[in-house]
């Protein structure tokens, strides 16, 4: 039987407080990167272009973000926090109040939609040299915790490892490859829902 127990939902780490000038520079850089990425694609933009468009020194961009992967992570942050807010405070089944299995199905579907919409940024974020790429971000840790909590597994099953396997099925490069191969978004979402339903069946 599906459980309706309360769980501790995932929370993304709040960004550190910054001086006013540092926060202003960060906003200028992120806005410049968003515009350039939309116009030219993530791979076609250099850090020098971002600095020039933002009106800051190249060293400032490298110091704050490291590389394009760091910029991609920053650009993803707003969307990830909106998804988190829906998980924390939105209506069920994505938000609180539904049985775990229904919440898991709703969350995976929402994450598929988010992944397809932001695939290029997610792929760029996963190419970072430090911190394990995409898997080293706070968002991945939060989603992994949420999926682990929602999986209704027998005691001998490692729910945390199973959650990693489930999230691997939502890898942006794999979804993009399938979509480019002719698999439409609706079919992808339906297939992944069926996968989650079978995985969570007891």
């Amino acid at each position: 039987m599906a459980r309706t127990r309360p769980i501790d939902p995932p929370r993304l780490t709040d960004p550190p407080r910054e001086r006013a000038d540092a926060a202003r520079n960060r906003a200028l850089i992120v806005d410049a990167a968003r515009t350039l990425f939309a116009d030219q694609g993530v791979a076609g933009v250099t850090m020098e272009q971002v600095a020039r468009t933002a009106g800051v020194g190249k060293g400032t961009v490298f110091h704050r973000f490291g590389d394009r992967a760091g910029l991609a992570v920053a650009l993803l942050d707003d969307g990830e926090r909106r998804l988190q807010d829906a998980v924390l405070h939105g209506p069920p089944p994505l938000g609180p109040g539904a049985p775990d299995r229904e919440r898991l199905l709703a969350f995976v579907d929402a994450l598929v939609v988010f992944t397809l919409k932001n695939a290029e940024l997610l792929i760029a974020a996963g190419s970072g040299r430090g911190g394990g790429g995409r898997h080293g971000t706070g968002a991945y840790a939060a989603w992994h915790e949420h999926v682990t909590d929602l999986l209704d597994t027998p005691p001998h099953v490692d729910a945390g490892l199973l959650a990693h396997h489930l999230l691997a099925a939502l890898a942006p490069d794999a979804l993009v490859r399938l979509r480019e191969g002719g698999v439409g978004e609706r079919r992808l979402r339906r297939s992944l829902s069926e996968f989650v339903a079978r995985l969570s069946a007891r």
Side-chain angles (χ1 to χ4, degrees):
M1 180 181 294
R3 296 166 294 166
T4 56
R5 60 173 174 78
I7 62 172
D8 293 328
R11 293 184 181 274
L12 302 184
T13 303
D14 290 332
R17 290 187 176 183
E18 299 177 303
R19 299 189 321 270
D21 59 334
R24 183 172 58 253
N25 282 342
R26 185 183 190 282
L28 288 170
I29 293 167
V30 169
D31 286 345
R34 182 179 290 110
T35 299
L36 290 167
F37 288 170
D39 290 345
Q40 303 177 34
V42 178
V45 175
T46 66
M47 299 294 272
E48 291 83 354
Q49 285 177 288
V50 173
R52 187 165 57 250
T53 302
V56 301
K58 182 172 65 174
T60 300
V61 179
F62 279 103
H63 176 72
R64 291 300 304 271
F65 299 98
D67 54 16
R68 275 197 305 260
L71 280 168
V73 169
L75 286 171
L76 288 165
D77 187 66
D78 285 345
E80 289 166 340
R81 290 185 185 279
R82 284 194 296 273
L83 179 54
Q84 176 191 238
D85 187 65
V87 169
L88 291 172
H89 309 296
L94 184 57
D100 289 356
R101 187 169 184 269
E102 292 180 23
R103 292 198 74 189
L104 180 61
L105 286 163
F107 175 72
V108 168
D109 188 60
L111 194 55
V112 171
V113 172
F114 177 82
T115 299
L116 289 171
K117 181 179 179 181
N118 298 281
E120 190 178 10
L121 285 174
L122 287 162
I123 291 169
S127 68
R129 293 187 294 268
R134 182 73 187 142
H135 292 83
T137 66
Y140 183 87
W143 307 152
H144 176 262
E145 177 188 345
H146 191 49
V147 170
T148 301
D149 285 342
L150 291 174
L151 283 169
D152 183 12
T153 57
H156 68 278
V157 173
D158 186 334
L161 185 56
L162 193 61
H164 282 304
H165 290 314
L166 173 52
L167 290 171
L170 277 64
D173 53 342
L175 294 185
V176 168
R177 191 172 296 114
L178 287 169
R179 187 169 59 182
E180 290 175 348
V183 181
E185 179 176 333
R186 182 178 300 179
R187 185 179 169 197
L188 276 173
R189 292 170 65 184
R190 186 169 60 244
S191 177
L192 284 163
S193 291
E194 177 66 19
F195 173 59
V196 173
R198 291 178 179 272
L199 190 66
S200 58
R202 289 290 300 272

